[in-house]
Amino acid sequence: MKLVMVLMLAVLPLCCYAGSGCSLLENVIEKTIDPTVSKEEYRDYIQAFTQSKTEENVVDEFKQCFLQQSNETLANFEQMMQTIYNSVFCKIF
């Protein structure tokens, strides 16, 4: 499960770098950590990036990981993501 999360977090920045726009990345991250967004809504939102039933299942498991976290953990995760994207190293790209 941790590997799935690492892979998803590694792929999303590449989509941003490839020219699809960082606003897309920010929106996906927002929906990922938002506890009011259900797995079905999340799957529908990123449907363009899933091509098979297996990938949809992975997306469901990924979202479920965040649904099981406390609000404090989600807030800390959001703060970590902001720190990463505001860092000097991220601005190089």
Side-chain angles (χ1 to χ4, degrees):
M1 185 54 65
K2 290 181 182 180
L3 180 60
V4 169
M5 185 166 21
V6 169
L7 290 174
M8 290 286 289
L9 292 174
V11 169
L12 290 175
L14 292 177
C15 291
C16 179
Y17 182 70
S20 63
C22 287
S23 63
L24 173 62
L25 176 61
E26 290 172 10
N27 292 340
V28 169
I29 291 172
E30 270 182 37
K31 292 203 181 285
T32 302
I33 62 176
D34 185 353
T36 63
V37 175
S38 69
K39 289 192 292 187
E40 292 78 20
E41 291 172 311
Y42 185 70
R43 187 183 329 117
D44 290 343
Y45 186 75
I46 62 171
Q47 183 177 8
F49 302 105
T50 57
Q51 316 226 327
S52 68
K53 192 66 173 168
T54 303
E55 291 173 351
E56 288 179 8
N57 292 336
V58 169
V59 167
D60 284 347
E61 289 180 31
F62 182 69
K63 178 62 179 173
Q64 185 62 38
C65 289
F66 285 91
L67 289 174
Q68 294 173 340
Q69 303 305 313
S70 68
N71 288 337
E72 181 183 5
T73 301
L74 295 174
N76 290 338
F77 180 80
E78 183 175 16
Q79 183 179 6
M80 179 190 72
M81 294 306 294
Q82 290 301 321
T83 302
I84 290 170
Y85 291 120
N86 293 332
S87 74
V88 173
F89 297 111
C90 190
K91 291 179 181 181
I92 291 173
F93 297 107

